[in-house]
Every structure is written in structure tokens, then in C-alpha cells.
Amino acid sequence: MADTSREFYLSWLNDAYAMEKNVEEVLERHVKQAENYPEIQSKIQQHLDITRTQADRVQSCIERNGGDVSSLKSGIANMMGAVTGAGSSGAQDKLIKDAIADYATENFEIASYAALTVAAQSLGDQETAQICQDIIGEEHEMATWLAKNLSTVSQTVLQEAPVK
Ligand SMILES: [Fe+2]
């Protein structure tokens, strides 16, 4: 029984790591796509830098628990790809779709780390529980920024759309 819950725990930590690596790739693309919008671009770049440190912190939790990240499952990463790769069209239109996908991703991450926090606490891994809480704060900050700025991004896209 104890072994099984440990295995679950380790596989959830691995999922979180795979998720961060996937988000990293997606945000790299979104930084490029926002090149004409410096304010949006710098916020995405800032969260990309944070995401890289999140992957490192989750990796340290995996290793402290006797796992390693070389044999990753990619189930969650693939699922995230399905969310973030949804739809494609013109460059301006892409900006709002990226923002919507990023908002969904941040909330997906928050839910994942909330579940991991409970697992870490119940297994007595306080260090990981604290790291998950710190990461939730960072994802929440980005989700809040996106929620506040979605309307601005949407208006910008519409204003810049060619009139027929
Ligand atoms: Fe993240």
C-alpha cells in the first residue's frame, strides 16, 4: 500500500515536470508570436523564465524522492499540447488564441499543484509541498495577469484587423 502511493506520487511529480517542459516549449513560441506587442511579450518572457525554474524545482523534488526525469511519461504533456495547439490562423488572431490557451494552461497547472501539495503533505514531504505552494502562487499571478489583459488583447486584435 505504502509503495503504491509512493509510486503514484512519483508519477504525479513526473507529470508535473513533463507539463513544465511542455509549457516551456509553448511559451517559447508565444514569445515569438507576440513580437509586435512588447508589453505582452515581456510578460510571457518573464513567465517563461519562471517556468524554467519551476521545471528545475520539480526535478529536485523527483530526485529527492528517488526518481529521475530521464524516463518521462508524456501523457500530460500530450494532453497539454492538445489544449495549447488548438486552432491556428492569422498572426493577430493567434495572439488572442495564445492568451486563451495560456490562461487555460495556468489554471490546469494550479489544479495539478494543488493535488500534488495534498499528496506531498500526506506523505510527509514538506519541502515538496512548499515548492508546490510557491509554484501555485507564480501560476496564479500569470493567470490573473492574463484574465486582466485578455480584453485588451482582444480589442487590439480587432482594431488591427483589416477592414473589408
Ligand atoms: Fe508552470
Side-chain angles (χ1 to χ4, degrees):
M1 186 70 188
D3 279 342
T4 309
S5 55
R6 279 260 152 217
E7 279 166 26
F8 269 136
Y9 180 50
L10 206 49
S11 81
W12 293 352
L13 282 169
N14 273 322
D15 285 344
Y17 179 80
M19 174 176 77
E20 295 300 353
K21 296 309 272 184
N22 187 63
V23 171
E24 204 177 299
E25 280 175 33
V26 170
L27 291 181
E28 279 168 5
R29 284 202 300 276
H30 290 185
V31 165
K32 285 190 198 117
Q33 272 148 7
E35 64 184 348
N36 295 325
Y37 306 90
E39 214 176 302
I40 296 167
Q41 189 183 42
S42 81
K43 185 66 188 177
I44 301 171
Q45 180 64 55
Q46 185 191 45
H47 195 68
L48 171 58
D49 295 340
I50 290 171
T51 299
R52 291 191 175 117
T53 74
Q54 290 172 342
D56 290 345
R57 279 177 276 164
V58 174
Q59 181 174 356
S60 76
C61 295
I62 292 168
E63 289 168 355
R64 245 182 317 102
N65 279 280
D68 74 274
V69 296
S70 59
S71 55
L72 273 183
K73 286 195 312 172
S74 58
I76 287 210
N78 288 340
M79 200 284 282
M80 299 281 293
V83 174
T84 51
S88 67
S89 40
Q92 294 155 331
D93 188 39
K94 193 87 184 77
L95 195 71
I96 185 72
K97 289 187 171 161
D98 286 354
I100 293 167
D102 290 344
Y103 182 72
T105 299
E106 294 310 323
N107 283 287
F108 183 92
E109 292 188 276
I110 289 167
S112 302
Y113 286 112
L116 257 181
T117 302
V118 174
Q121 282 167 342
S122 70
L123 290 167
D125 185 358
Q126 292 308 330
E127 202 173 336
T128 298
Q130 185 56 54
I131 287 171
C132 291
Q133 285 298 292
D134 294 345
I135 294 177
I136 286 175
E138 294 159 5
E139 314 297 26
H140 187 68
E141 197 275 330
M142 185 61 180
T144 305
W145 185 89
L146 284 162
K148 267 174 69 181
N149 287 274
L150 271 171
S151 57
T152 316
V153 175
S154 190
Q155 276 162 5
T156 306
V157 169
L158 286 175
Q159 277 160 12
E160 292 181 2
V163 180
K164 285 191 181 166

